[in-house]
Amino acid sequence: MAINYLSEEENLISKKFLSDGYLIVDISEINSYQWIENKIKKLVLKFLKISKKDLHNDILDNVHEHLSLNELNMFRMYIIEEINKLKDFKFHYFTVAKDLIYKIVGNELAMQKKINLSIQLPNDSSSILPVHSDVWSGDSPFEIVVWLPLVNCFKTKSM
């Protein structure tokens, strides 16, 4: 008979994850989330050539007001390239969900080799993926993907 060392909370979380395939939880490491958000905001400002004095706190929620559909992929690739250059990005990306990941799979997990970014502008049907799987782009089928919503996501809008 196998011994279960998980707490009641961990068992409930694991069951929910296995039944639904995802979890929506509050961020436990807000400092790491804010670090990521601030780095991405700076990259967005740089790409869009917006000065800090013109910065408004909801720049990520309103990036579609400064970006055309034709620029979307170039913008996305720029952000991906730049966040993967940041020495501490993976640390903060992992830290945001570390406690939850440990509860689901323990600390023996495969971390994404390269952080990715998906952007969906409002009413943009050209960027919709029917099913998303990082395995198709060469990542391990055993890794957990952590999705950090950087904008107010709804209907056809996400980042």
Side-chain angles (χ1 to χ4, degrees):
M1 175 182 212
I3 299 174
N4 183 344
Y5 295 105
L6 298 176
S7 69
E8 186 176 337
E9 176 200 11
E10 291 167 335
N11 276 315
L12 289 173
I13 288 171
S14 293
K15 285 178 185 175
K16 179 103 173 113
F17 179 71
L18 288 173
S19 69
D20 296 350
Y22 66 92
L23 295 168
I24 298 174
V25 298
D26 290 335
I27 295 171
S28 61
E29 295 294 335
I30 196 70
N31 290 338
S32 283
Y33 176 83
Q34 289 171 337
W35 185 94
I36 291 169
E37 183 181 44
N38 288 331
K39 293 295 181 183
I40 291 178
K41 278 183 181 179
K42 287 178 184 177
L43 292 171
V44 167
L45 292 174
K46 185 175 179 182
F47 182 90
L48 297 175
K49 296 176 178 66
I50 299 174
S51 69
K52 278 190 176 183
K53 67 179 174 122
D54 296 328
L55 171 66
H56 45 91
N57 286 336
D58 56 355
I59 185 66
L60 297 179
D61 265 320
N62 295 304
V63 73
H64 61 281
E65 294 173 3
H66 305 275
L67 188 66
S68 72
L69 191 55
N70 290 338
E71 298 169 305
L72 177 59
N73 197 50
M74 186 170 42
F75 173 74
R76 186 181 69 83
M77 295 305 295
Y78 168 77
I79 301 293
I80 290 170
E81 184 178 322
E82 294 302 314
I83 61 177
N84 280 285
K85 289 179 186 176
L86 294 171
K87 182 180 102 167
D88 293 330
F89 197 91
K90 279 188 175 185
F91 167 79
H92 289 287
Y93 182 71
F94 175 71
T95 300
V96 166
K98 178 174 65 175
D99 293 341
L100 185 61
I101 290 170
Y102 284 170
K103 288 176 183 176
I104 297 171
V105 297
N107 60 2
E108 298 176 17
L109 59 104
M111 180 63 169
Q112 279 181 268
K113 292 177 186 158
K114 189 171 184 181
I115 306 298
N116 208 338
L117 178 69
S118 178
I119 301 171
Q120 178 71 42
L121 297 180
N123 304 311
D124 168 20
S125 60
S126 68
S127 299
I128 295 176
L129 298 172
V131 175
H132 179 78
S133 176
D134 289 342
V135 173
W136 296 337
S137 60
D139 288 320
S140 168
F142 303 105
E143 70 189 20
I144 291 177
V145 175
V146 176
W147 179 64
L148 301 176
L150 297 171
V151 299
N152 181 15
C153 299
F154 59 91
K155 295 183 183 178
T156 62
K157 179 183 171 197
S158 69
M159 177 189 245

